[in-house]
Short mmCIF file of all heavy atoms in Angstrom, two decimals:
data_model
loop_
_atom_site.label_atom_id
_atom_site.label_comp_id
_atom_site.label_asym_id
_atom_site.label_seq_id
_atom_site.Cartn_x
_atom_site.Cartn_y
_atom_site.Cartn_z
N ARG Z 266 367.39 195.43 26.13
CA ARG Z 266 368.54 196.20 25.61
C ARG Z 266 369.65 195.31 25.13
O ARG Z 266 370.30 195.61 24.12
CB ARG Z 266 369.02 197.16 26.69
CG ARG Z 266 368.02 198.22 27.10
CD ARG Z 266 367.58 199.05 25.91
NE ARG Z 266 366.62 200.07 26.25
CZ ARG Z 266 365.98 200.78 25.40
NH1 ARG Z 266 366.13 200.56 24.09
NH2 ARG Z 266 365.08 201.70 25.81
N GLU Z 269 368.66 193.94 21.74
CA GLU Z 269 368.78 194.98 20.72
C GLU Z 269 370.21 195.19 20.30
O GLU Z 269 370.51 195.39 19.11
CB GLU Z 269 368.19 196.28 21.26
CG GLU Z 269 366.67 196.27 21.40
CD GLU Z 269 366.13 197.53 22.03
OE1 GLU Z 269 366.96 198.39 22.49
OE2 GLU Z 269 364.90 197.70 22.11
N VAL Z 398 377.19 201.16 29.68
CA VAL Z 398 375.90 201.80 29.70
C VAL Z 398 375.20 201.44 31.01
O VAL Z 398 375.02 200.28 31.28
CB VAL Z 398 375.03 201.38 28.50
CG1 VAL Z 398 373.65 202.10 28.56
CG2 VAL Z 398 375.71 201.73 27.19
N ARG Z 405 366.34 206.33 33.22
CA ARG Z 405 367.14 206.74 32.05
C ARG Z 405 368.49 206.11 32.10
O ARG Z 405 369.18 206.23 33.12
CB ARG Z 405 367.22 208.24 31.97
CG ARG Z 405 367.98 208.73 30.71
CD ARG Z 405 367.95 210.21 30.58
NE ARG Z 405 368.65 210.66 29.42
CZ ARG Z 405 368.12 210.64 28.20
NH1 ARG Z 405 366.93 210.20 27.99
NH2 ARG Z 405 368.84 211.09 27.17
N GLY Z 406 368.86 205.47 31.04
CA GLY Z 406 370.18 204.80 31.02
C GLY Z 406 371.24 205.79 30.57
O GLY Z 406 370.97 206.90 30.14
N GLY Z 407 372.49 205.34 30.65
CA GLY Z 407 373.60 206.09 30.10
C GLY Z 407 374.28 207.00 31.08
O GLY Z 407 375.14 207.81 30.68
N GLU Z 436 381.50 210.60 21.25
CA GLU Z 436 380.70 209.67 20.46
C GLU Z 436 379.97 208.68 21.42
O GLU Z 436 378.80 208.38 21.26
CB GLU Z 436 381.57 208.89 19.50
CG GLU Z 436 380.79 207.87 18.68
CD GLU Z 436 381.71 207.10 17.75
OE1 GLU Z 436 382.90 207.42 17.71
OE2 GLU Z 436 381.23 206.17 17.07
N LEU Z 437 380.73 208.15 22.41
CA LEU Z 437 380.11 207.21 23.31
C LEU Z 437 379.04 207.85 24.18
O LEU Z 437 378.04 207.29 24.54
CB LEU Z 437 381.20 206.59 24.22
CG LEU Z 437 382.14 205.65 23.46
CD1 LEU Z 437 383.23 205.15 24.39
CD2 LEU Z 437 381.38 204.46 22.91
N LYS Z 438 379.26 209.14 24.55
CA LYS Z 438 378.21 209.85 25.31
C LYS Z 438 376.93 209.95 24.52
O LYS Z 438 375.84 209.76 25.08
CB LYS Z 438 378.71 211.24 25.70
CG LYS Z 438 379.78 211.26 26.79
CD LYS Z 438 380.22 212.69 27.09
CE LYS Z 438 381.25 212.73 28.18
NZ LYS Z 438 381.72 214.09 28.49
N SER Z 439 377.03 210.20 23.25
CA SER Z 439 375.84 210.35 22.43
C SER Z 439 375.13 208.96 22.31
O SER Z 439 373.93 208.91 22.25
CB SER Z 439 376.19 210.89 21.06
OG SER Z 439 377.03 209.99 20.36
N VAL Z 440 375.91 207.91 22.22
CA VAL Z 440 375.33 206.59 22.11
C VAL Z 440 374.60 206.25 23.40
O VAL Z 440 373.47 205.78 23.44
CB VAL Z 440 376.42 205.54 21.81
CG1 VAL Z 440 375.83 204.13 21.95
CG2 VAL Z 440 376.95 205.73 20.42
N ALA Z 441 375.27 206.45 24.55
CA ALA Z 441 374.69 206.10 25.82
C ALA Z 441 373.46 206.95 26.14
O ALA Z 441 372.51 206.44 26.76
CB ALA Z 441 375.74 206.23 26.92
N SER Z 442 373.45 208.21 25.77
CA SER Z 442 372.30 209.08 26.07
C SER Z 442 371.08 208.64 25.35
O SER Z 442 369.97 209.02 25.72
CB SER Z 442 372.67 210.50 25.78
OG SER Z 442 372.90 210.67 24.37
N ALA Z 443 371.25 207.88 24.29
CA ALA Z 443 370.08 207.43 23.51
C ALA Z 443 369.44 206.21 24.10
O ALA Z 443 368.36 205.80 23.72
CB ALA Z 443 370.48 207.14 22.06
N VAL Z 444 370.09 205.59 25.11
CA VAL Z 444 369.59 204.38 25.71
C VAL Z 444 368.65 204.76 26.81
O VAL Z 444 369.05 205.36 27.79
CB VAL Z 444 370.72 203.47 26.24
CG1 VAL Z 444 370.11 202.27 26.90
CG2 VAL Z 444 371.63 203.06 25.07
N GLN Z 445 367.41 204.42 26.73
CA GLN Z 445 366.41 204.69 27.73
C GLN Z 445 365.65 203.47 28.11
O GLN Z 445 365.58 202.54 27.31
CB GLN Z 445 365.44 205.77 27.25
CG GLN Z 445 366.05 207.10 26.85
CD GLN Z 445 365.01 208.07 26.42
OE1 GLN Z 445 363.84 207.82 26.55
NE2 GLN Z 445 365.45 209.17 25.87
N ASP Z 446 365.10 203.40 29.30
CA ASP Z 446 364.31 202.24 29.70
C ASP Z 446 362.92 202.36 29.04
O ASP Z 446 362.46 203.44 28.84
CB ASP Z 446 364.13 202.25 31.24
CG ASP Z 446 365.43 201.88 31.88
OD1 ASP Z 446 366.21 201.19 31.25
OD2 ASP Z 446 365.62 202.25 33.07
#
Side-chain angles (χ1 to χ4, degrees):
R266 294 303 179 191
E269 289 175 355
V398 179
R405 182 173 181 82
E436 179 182 356
L437 291 176
K438 287 181 180 179
S439 64
V440 170
S442 65
V444 179
Q445 300 181 8
D446 289 334

